[in-house]
Amino acid sequence: MRYQDKTFQQRESELLDAARELFQTQPWDRVTIAEVARQAGIGKGTVYKHFPSKEALYARLVLDRSRLHLSALTAAAEKGTAIDALRRALRLAFDQLLADPLHAQLCLQCDRPAFQARLEPEYRAEFCALEGQYLELFNRLLHSSFADLQLAPSDCEQLLWGVEACVNGVMARIASGGFDNWPEPFDLKLYFDRVTDFALAGLQGQAAALGARNSHGE
């Protein structure tokens, strides 16, 4: 790698780190590009050599962290039986969100239509590609887990809707700080164990219903 390219990448990493540091101490949606530049110790104009807009900066934070999460989910899904791999992936997805509430907040922001409309086309394309990779992973896990039911692709797509709704619900709860205001302390690990059980039971029940419908030619 050329020295100039290495320096460019290092500065970009410093900008992203600076943004995350600021987001941890003040409302992330109020942080300005100028503040990020000051935190990183560089000129405001230099920021725009890396990110054409504030939305692009948010997007890069989400894309980079989400790719790391996807890599961990993929590794977790390679162990054990198919249904165990599906359970493990779901449970890990919840842990990833719980460990980084800021990421959950930024994910929800980046998913809003108004945000996507302001985002540069190349970043929108990256989000679409990443979403496709997540869907491919869970689609594969669903196919493997319920292979004996011989589900149609459209059936697995419906099951994916359930996975997405469950993960997005947890994401919204974490992003809002919803666990901080419960009247009594409780075991978060047990909570997410039961949420995972609930999600898996729902998938198994719906998969069985779809498989039965298909076997009867409905």
Side-chain angles (χ1 to χ4, degrees):
M1 181 183 297
R2 295 186 309 166
Y3 174 78
Q4 294 91 334
D5 295 335
K6 186 176 181 180
T7 301
F8 186 88
Q9 289 187 2
Q10 181 178 352
R11 186 182 297 120
E12 187 166 292
S13 295
E14 291 170 353
L15 285 168
L16 293 172
D17 290 342
R20 284 191 64 87
E21 289 173 7
L22 289 169
F23 294 159
Q24 298 290 352
T25 59
Q26 58 183 293
W28 55 268
D29 54 340
R30 297 181 185 176
V31 173
T32 66
I33 289 293
E35 289 174 313
V36 173
R38 284 196 299 270
Q39 182 74 11
I42 65 174
K44 179 180 177 181
T46 303
V47 179
Y48 291 104
K49 295 180 180 179
H50 296 266
F51 305 104
S53 64
K54 186 176 178 179
E55 286 79 11
L57 176 60
Y58 288 166
R60 179 53 56 205
L61 283 168
V62 170
L63 288 164
D64 289 351
R65 187 60 58 94
S66 294
R67 289 187 179 112
L68 289 175
H69 287 181
L70 178 60
S71 179
L73 291 175
T74 301
E78 293 175 352
K79 305 172 184 177
T81 64
I83 196 69
D84 286 342
L86 177 58
R87 177 188 293 276
R88 191 179 300 107
L90 281 170
R91 186 65 180 79
L92 179 56
F94 298 150
D95 282 341
Q96 289 172 337
L97 292 168
L98 186 62
D100 192 353
L102 175 60
H103 180 67
Q105 294 170 0
L106 292 175
C107 280
L108 291 178
Q109 170 69 9
C110 290
D111 197 42
R112 294 176 179 174
F115 180 93
Q116 287 288 323
R118 296 192 303 270
L119 194 59
E120 291 75 16
E122 59 268 28
Y123 286 97
R124 291 201 300 270
E126 288 191 59
F127 273 114
C128 287
L130 183 62
E131 182 178 8
Q133 292 168 4
Y134 269 95
L135 292 177
E136 181 181 359
L137 170 62
F138 280 98
N139 190 51
R140 174 170 58 81
L141 289 173
L142 290 168
H143 269 291
S144 300
S145 298
F146 307 121
D148 58 321
L149 298 176
Q150 298 182 342
L151 299 178
S154 59
D155 296 331
C156 284
E157 181 181 13
Q158 293 180 37
L159 296 179
L160 278 171
W161 296 341
V163 172
E164 181 182 39
C166 191
V167 172
N168 284 348
V170 168
M171 183 186 300
R173 187 64 182 258
I174 291 172
S176 69
F179 295 113
D180 298 335
N181 299 317
W182 281 42
E184 297 180 2
F186 68 103
D187 188 338
L188 268 177
K189 179 181 181 303
L190 180 61
Y191 176 91
F192 282 108
D193 285 343
R194 296 294 80 81
V195 171
T196 304
D197 291 340
F198 179 83
L200 198 61
L203 290 170
Q204 289 172 318
Q206 186 62 22
L210 291 169
R213 183 198 64 185
N214 293 342
S215 67
H216 290 92
E218 299 178 8

